[in-house]
Amino acid sequence: MDQSSTYPIGTPGVPWGDSEKTQWRQSRAIQRSYQAEVLDKISALAATFDIIQYGALSYDTKRYPLLALKSKNWDAAKPGVLITGGVHGYETSGVQGALLFAQSQAQLFTNDFNLLIAPCVSPWGYEVINRWNPLAIDPNRSFYVNSPAEESASLMALVAEQPCEFLAHIDLHETTDTDESEFRPALSARDGKAYQPGEIPDGFYVVDDSAHPQPAFQKAIIAAVAKVTHIAPADKDGNIIGSKVVQPGVIEYALKELGLCASVTGAPYTCTTEVYPDSPKATDDICNQAQVAAVCGALKFLLQNG
């Protein structure tokens, strides 16, 4: 079914030009505070982490500094673990879950791992509650050389300058009802394509790397999260968001080919989490705790098997 005409910006079947992108950007409005909800929480962790600024978004360099938390006892001989949130700024528990892990659980693992935590990769997206950056670019399809997204390029540069090998990367995301009501229709309109409605899974799932799958690692993450919230079942075709379920709660993507954040370190163990905040069984706290459980489950698996 072609629903491209339902999106209020652009002409059906015609990709957006600069004027449509400007119209879209001007229709966005700040709805929450990056300073109060992210930067202040990062500052409060100065006693337990080194806080590093790895850039600032040119849209507003003072409003949008890019900050990361780094283990104080960094040792190049230890394996590195990257934890990212807010690559899609609207996915709230990715940001708040990363911060909650840093505040409540991270110190349990700093003797064994170098932890690098970028809690909010896309702060403009966080404030306006959107998937894209102001240029109508999806940062989570832009992790490649000469990236058009400042958010992605800045994170890649941060990772490249770290003096250690990365063993794992856990990228914290959400799948929301607004994926179908707003973001996928917007994508279709932007690209001049027909919008094909999809199905939002009810529950938590993860995305493994189809090029280098780690099924036992993903299984451990699912088991940890299942203690906090429910795991998404497969649909009638055995899929989750159009991808085959390879084990309960697990699908696979070609991470590097798609320019996804989880490919940025080249680590052997990667996971993209997907929390479902719109479930009647979910609360903000449950969603944040699910992200923390995913990270802890991943790290405990690495301690036992890595």
Side-chain angles (χ1 to χ4, degrees), residues 126-179:
Y126 185 84
E127 288 204 322
V128 304
I129 312 182
N130 207 274
R131 185 177 181 91
W132 296 341
N133 71 13
L135 304 180
I137 294 172
D138 186 341
N140 203 35
R141 296 297 186 274
S142 304
F143 285 90
Y144 50 82
V145 176
N146 298 321
S147 173
E150 295 179 31
E151 299 84 354
S152 309
S154 296
L155 184 67
M156 288 189 290
L158 172 68
V159 169
E161 67 185 21
Q162 300 310 309
C164 75
E165 294 292 324
F166 281 92
L167 178 63
H169 177 190
I170 304 98
D171 188 28
L172 307 180
H173 283 258
E174 294 181 343
T175 300
T176 73
D177 287 348
T178 54
D179 287 7

Side-chain angles (χ1 to χ4, degrees), residues 1-14 16 184-197:
M1 181 169 60
D2 182 352
Q3 295 189 0
S4 61
S5 61
T6 64
Y7 200 77
I9 295 172
T11 301
V14 180
W16 288 0
R184 290 175 186 162
L187 175 64
S188 297
R190 186 198 68 181
D191 295 346
K193 297 179 179 178
Y195 165 53
Q196 301 294 333

Side-chain angles (χ1 to χ4, degrees), residues 145-276:
V145 176
N146 298 321
S147 173
E150 295 179 31
E151 299 84 354
S152 309
S154 296
L155 184 67
M156 288 189 290
L158 172 68
V159 169
E161 67 185 21
Q162 300 310 309
C164 75
E165 294 292 324
F166 281 92
L167 178 63
H169 177 190
I170 304 98
D171 188 28
L172 307 180
H173 283 258
E174 294 181 343
T175 300
T176 73
D177 287 348
T178 54
D179 287 7
E180 281 299 319
S181 64
E182 167 63 24
F183 300 118
R184 290 175 186 162
L187 175 64
S188 297
R190 186 198 68 181
D191 295 346
K193 297 179 179 178
Y195 165 53
Q196 301 294 333
E199 182 177 321
I200 300 297
D202 183 356
F204 179 93
Y205 65 99
V206 297
V207 183
D208 198 1
D209 185 0
S210 61
H212 306 284
Q214 294 286 354
F217 179 63
Q218 311 301 333
K219 184 178 181 179
I221 293 170
I222 291 291
V225 174
K227 298 175 182 178
V228 176
T229 192
H230 58 295
I231 305 304
D235 64 19
K236 60 182 177 59
D237 298 317
N239 296 333
I240 290 177
I241 59 168
S243 294
K244 180 183 177 183
V245 174
V246 296
Q247 61 171 305
V250 182
I251 62 173
E252 297 177 349
Y253 279 0
L255 301 183
K256 189 172 183 62
E257 181 180 336
L258 293 172
L260 299 180
C261 182
S263 70
V264 71
T265 63
Y269 293 93
T270 61
C271 178
T272 301
T273 70
E274 294 287 353
V275 167
Y276 179 48

